[in-house]
Amino acid sequence: MRSIFKTGAAALAVTTMLAGTAFAQELSGVLRISSDMSNPGPRAVMEQLAAEFDEMHPNLTVDLTIVDREAWKTQIRNALSADPPDVVNWYAANRMGPFVDAGLFMDITDWWDAGDFAGLESVRGALTQDGRVWGIPYTYYQWGVYYREDIFNELGLSEPATWEEELANCQVIVASGRACYTIGTRFLWTAGGWFDYLNMRTNGFDFHMALARGEVPWTDDRVRATFANWRQLIDMGGFIADHQNYSWQEALPFMINGEATAYLMGNFAVDQLRNGGLTDDQLDFYQFPIITEGLPQGEDAPTDTFHVAAGAQNVEAARAFLQYVASAEVQTRINGPEGLGQLPVNANASVADDEFIQQGFTMLSQNAQGGIAQFFDRDWPAEMASIGMEGLQEFMVFPDNLDDILDRLEAARQRVY
């Protein structure tokens, strides 16, 4: 979907006017933005950002194109290669590597060094490759287990802290005629979340990241131990049937209707669970249980980013837009419960007074001593992540195929790294 804001922006009430010379400069021409914020809540945030920035600069027209989030993962390379937009959405860490290596993202180290992005210094490393900086973050969010507190209460269950408690809970849930977890693996990445947590809890964060860097064979016994833990839940009927046919959104009704009691997911799911009719009295959140005692807990907390295309035509406007999005004021507002419902990256921004955002902030700031991972499809090289997630989904459907799956993943590791 494409929106050109200048003609319609006059009717927009700009609720936040930002002070400072960075936002007062005179810009002109057209600023072209391509965004993958296609789900309803993020789309509204992105459209408001574009409209506000357009309104702030009378001689500038913002041309916004919203692309389906899944489709963008395969379209971005072509989009950056021919007649590229000025600004695009993407992800931090390894996922930006192929576009940096291909010369498709602009090096914005000088903008960072000039102080354009005050408050983001602590996350500069996640956007750094080869000693240069290639984008800015605007939000991050926790992963964990969102569950039906009302059903837990009905069944006399408590939040599990250990794997033994997790399995015991699941036995009670299955006996009640429900699945323990909903999941939609049609687009594969949700299975990556399960592997991330099971592997970090079975073998530790450092081992998990060594596997991501290609330093450990997929046929290693420690990797097999992770899959053995996963299989315990699969064999007891812990997951909904036919999950390979559902997107993550299509799997939500199983939890909303009470056919499943929980979802291992990012905090972006809360908005859709609320919109589906669940109240905060029915929902709650807990950190993924400990499996191997004594291992510091690692957490997934993906960071979403903006980048300037190497072939950007309106670099001055692109720089000003990044300054705007990076500001504490904007990050506080767009990450609040009326926006993305996530965590701001700017250290000077405020964390929203929302139950789930506050729980995520506390968990990541106080109980993630193992480390912060980006996510399976961001921490692994793109080719390895794609092959890996196919294998993870296959394992969830056909766990007896594990030996063949691990042999394929190991062959891919030896080719990719």
Side-chain angles (χ1 to χ4, degrees):
M1 185 193 109
R2 186 179 181 197
S3 303
I4 300 175
F5 283 91
K6 187 55 67 187
T7 55
L12 176 73
V14 178
T15 55
T16 301
M17 297 303 293
L18 298 167
T21 56
F23 305 109
Q25 60 188 289
E26 188 58 39
L27 302 173
S28 61
V30 177
L31 174 66
R32 297 169 59 208
I33 303 173
S34 289
S35 172
D36 67 344
M37 297 166 69
S38 59
N39 289 324
R43 175 192 291 269
V45 168
M46 187 66 237
E47 289 176 344
Q48 185 171 8
L49 283 175
E52 286 182 5
F53 194 71
D54 182 286
E55 183 79 355
M56 291 163 59
H57 301 284
N59 296 322
L60 178 74
T61 296
V62 176
D63 181 353
L64 171 66
T65 299
I66 301 283
V67 183
D68 178 80
R69 192 172 180 89
E70 292 301 325
W72 184 238
K73 293 176 181 176
T74 56
Q75 294 176 3
I76 182 174
R77 181 174 289 274
N78 287 339
L80 290 169
S81 299
D83 190 24
D86 299 298
V87 174
V88 298
N89 279 129
W90 194 238
Y91 312 118
N94 282 347
R95 283 300 293 274
M96 71 178 188
F99 305 104
V100 172
D101 293 339
L104 296 173
F105 282 164
M106 183 176 289
D107 176 356
I108 62 169
T109 308
D110 292 344
W111 302 354
W112 278 81
D113 291 343
D116 282 22
F117 312 122
L120 299 185
E121 293 83 359
S122 65
V123 292
R124 177 170 171 151
L127 279 302
T128 298
Q129 180 174 316
D130 302 327
R132 311 300 292 176
V133 195
W134 305 93
I136 66 154
Y138 65 95
T139 187
Y140 75 116
Y141 52 91
Q142 81 271 18
W143 269 67
V145 180
Y146 296 85
Y147 72 99
R148 287 287 302 270
E149 184 177 20
D150 54 341
I151 297 178
F152 268 46
N153 290 338
E154 173 192 328
L155 298 176
L157 303 178
S158 301
E159 295 178 0
T162 67
W163 192 239
E164 291 74 20
E165 293 173 359
E166 165 69 25
L167 295 176
N169 274 4
C170 198
Q171 286 177 333
V172 173
I173 294 166
V174 169
S176 75
R178 303 176 176 96
C180 308
Y181 289 98
T182 189
I183 184 172
T185 62
R186 177 149 59 96
F187 295 110
L188 305 178
W189 57 268
T190 48
W194 270 95
F195 181 81
D196 281 351
Y197 274 97
L198 287 160
N199 199 38
M200 285 192 288
R201 293 293 188 271
T202 302
N203 296 305
F205 177 84
D206 292 342
F207 177 87
H208 185 67
M209 298 313 296
L211 185 65
R213 294 191 297 269
E215 297 169 3
V216 180
W218 275 87
T219 49
D220 189 286
D221 284 345
R222 291 167 291 182
V223 179
R224 290 182 181 278
T226 293
F227 283 97
N229 288 327
W230 200 347
R231 182 154 188 169
Q232 289 179 291
L233 281 179
I234 295 171
D235 286 350
M236 68 169 53
F239 297 97
I240 62 169
D242 301 324
H243 51 77
Q244 70 274 19
N245 297 323
Y246 305 121
S247 68
W248 79 268
Q249 297 99 327
E250 291 167 341
L252 286 164
F254 291 94
M255 181 168 167
I256 293 169
N257 297 333
E259 298 169 72
T261 58
Y263 209 161
L264 176 64
M265 187 49 68
N267 197 58
F268 51 83
V270 170
D271 180 58
Q272 302 219 17
L273 291 168
R274 286 168 170 162
N275 290 339
L278 295 180
T279 68
D280 286 4
D281 289 337
Q282 293 175 288
L283 281 173
D284 209 340
F285 171 86
Y286 61 82
Q287 190 170 13
F288 197 92
I290 291 170
I291 295 179
T292 301
E293 196 68 36
L295 287 178
Q297 289 156 287
E299 293 296 326
D300 274 340
T303 304
D304 291 348
T305 54
F306 282 102
H307 303 265
V308 178
Q313 297 298 305
N314 198 338
V315 175
E316 184 181 20
R319 180 177 183 175
F321 182 76
L322 263 57
Q323 291 172 335
Y324 165 71
V325 174
S327 69
E329 295 92 334
V330 169
Q331 293 217 350
T332 295
R333 181 160 50 85
I334 67 174
N335 284 290
E338 303 302 320
L340 299 172
Q342 297 178 169
L343 294 163
V345 183
N346 192 306
N348 301 316
S350 299
V351 177
D353 183 19
D354 174 89
E355 174 185 354
F356 298 99
I357 299 174
Q358 288 288 340
Q359 287 193 72
F361 177 75
T362 301
M363 179 181 75
L364 293 175
S365 60
Q366 299 179 16
N367 204 25
Q369 297 91 341
I372 300 294
Q374 286 297 307
F375 196 73
F376 189 94
D377 65 356
R378 304 184 188 194
D379 290 322
W380 266 257
E383 182 181 358
M384 190 70 229
S386 177
I387 297 168
M389 292 188 297
E390 289 176 1
L392 300 178
Q393 184 213 45
E394 180 181 345
F395 173 75
M396 291 193 71
V397 180
F398 303 108
D400 289 341
N401 292 359
L402 180 61
D403 287 342
D404 289 342
I405 293 167
L406 293 181
D407 287 344
R408 290 202 304 273
L409 296 188
E410 176 54 18
R413 182 188 74 88
Q414 294 183 23
R415 184 180 71 253
V416 168
Y417 291 92

